[in-house]
Amino acid sequence: MKTKLLILLVLTLAFYMDSIGQKTPCGTEHIKAQPKVFLNCRDNNLFDEELNQYYLAKDGRTLFDGTCQTYNQGGFVIEELTCKNGKRDGQDHSYYGSGCVRSIQTYSFGVKNGPQQVFFDSTGQIQREENYVNGKLNGRVIQLTRYGDTVCFLNYAMDLPHGIQREYYPDGTVKKQTQYEKGLITGLH
C-alpha cells in the first residue's frame, strides 16, 4: 500500500511540474514564437549594412516597421527586435537555445543608446554591462566571471577611456590600474 501511495505521489508531482510550463535553467519561461503576430526576421526582412536599415523582403524597398522574431526549429524565440522606419529602435532581446536571455540591447534610430547587457547561459548572471549614448560608450563598462567576480572595470566618456580602468586577477586582487583623462593616460599606470 505504501508503495502504491508513493508511486501515486510521484506521478502527481511529475504531472504538476509538467503542467507548470517549460521552465529554463535560468528560471524563466521559454518564449514561444508567434508567427501570426510577428514577422520572422530571417525570412521576411533584409538588412542593408551600408545604410543600417531593415527592409521588407517582399519588395526590398519598404522600410520595416514593427517587431520581428527569429525562432529555432522548436518554435522558441532566439531573437526579437523592434524597428521604426527601418531602424532598430527600442529594446531588443536575444536568447540562448535553453530560453535564457543572452543579451539585451537598447537602440534609438538604429544607434546603440542606453544600457547593453550580455548574460551567461543558464545562470542569468551578467557577463558584461555597458552603456551607450548616441552610439558611443559612455559610463562604466564591467565584465564579470560566471560567479559574479569582476574581471575588469572600465570608464568611458563618449568612446574615450576616462577615469579609472581596472583589471583583476581571478583571486580578486587588482592586476592593473590605469587613470585616463579623455583618452590620455594620466597619473600612475
Side-chain angles (χ1 to χ4, degrees), residues 34-178:
Q34 299 177 41
K36 292 182 179 180
V37 177
F38 300 112
L39 290 176
N40 182 331
C41 296
R42 262 192 209 133
D43 297 339
N44 298 313
N45 290 332
L46 303 171
F47 179 66
D48 184 328
E49 287 185 41
E50 281 184 40
L51 298 176
N52 187 29
Q53 288 190 358
Y54 287 85
Y55 296 90
L56 291 176
K58 67 180 179 182
D59 65 8
R61 292 187 313 257
T62 305
L63 293 173
F64 175 63
D65 200 23
T67 300
C68 68
Q69 297 177 327
T70 303
Y71 38 91
N72 61 20
Q73 290 178 338
F76 295 107
V77 175
I78 55 175
E79 181 182 42
E80 187 172 87
L81 61 93
T82 303
C83 293
K84 290 183 184 165
N85 297 316
K87 301 282 189 182
R88 287 173 85 167
D89 198 86
Q91 202 173 67
D92 298 341
H93 296 81
S94 63
Y95 302 89
Y96 288 103
S98 66
C100 299
V101 176
R102 178 186 297 248
S103 67
I104 300 172
Q105 304 157 17
T106 308
Y107 286 84
S108 257
F109 306 109
V111 176
K112 285 184 179 183
N113 199 28
Q116 316 290 314
Q117 296 174 316
V118 177
F119 298 87
F120 286 106
D121 187 21
S122 78
T123 62
Q125 289 282 354
I126 292 175
Q127 180 180 6
R128 185 174 176 90
E129 192 171 43
E130 53 196 28
N131 189 64
Y132 283 82
V133 174
N134 296 322
K136 297 183 183 220
L137 271 173
N138 197 58
R140 77 177 189 157
V141 174
I142 189 164
Q143 188 167 340
L144 305 166
T145 67
R146 187 173 289 282
Y147 307 105
D149 299 321
T150 304
V151 173
C152 66
F153 182 90
L154 312 169
N155 287 289
Y156 284 84
M158 302 312 285
D159 246 5
L160 295 173
H162 185 77
I164 294 175
Q165 317 291 328
R166 288 189 192 108
E167 293 179 39
Y168 296 89
Y169 287 109
D171 69 0
T173 58
V174 176
K175 179 179 184 179
K176 182 180 176 184
Q177 180 170 312
T178 311

Side-chain angles (χ1 to χ4, degrees), residues 9-21:
L9 180 63
V10 168
L11 289 174
T12 304
L13 184 60
F15 176 77
Y16 175 74
M17 294 301 287
D18 190 47
S19 67
I20 289 175

Side-chain angles (χ1 to χ4, degrees), residues 3-36:
T3 307
K4 286 183 181 179
L5 187 57
L6 183 61
I7 291 172
L8 182 62
L9 180 63
V10 168
L11 289 174
T12 304
L13 184 60
F15 176 77
Y16 175 74
M17 294 301 287
D18 190 47
S19 67
I20 289 175
Q22 192 170 2
K23 293 278 188 184
T24 67
C26 52
T28 59
E29 297 277 338
H30 271 314
I31 298 174
K32 193 75 171 160
Q34 299 177 41
K36 292 182 179 180

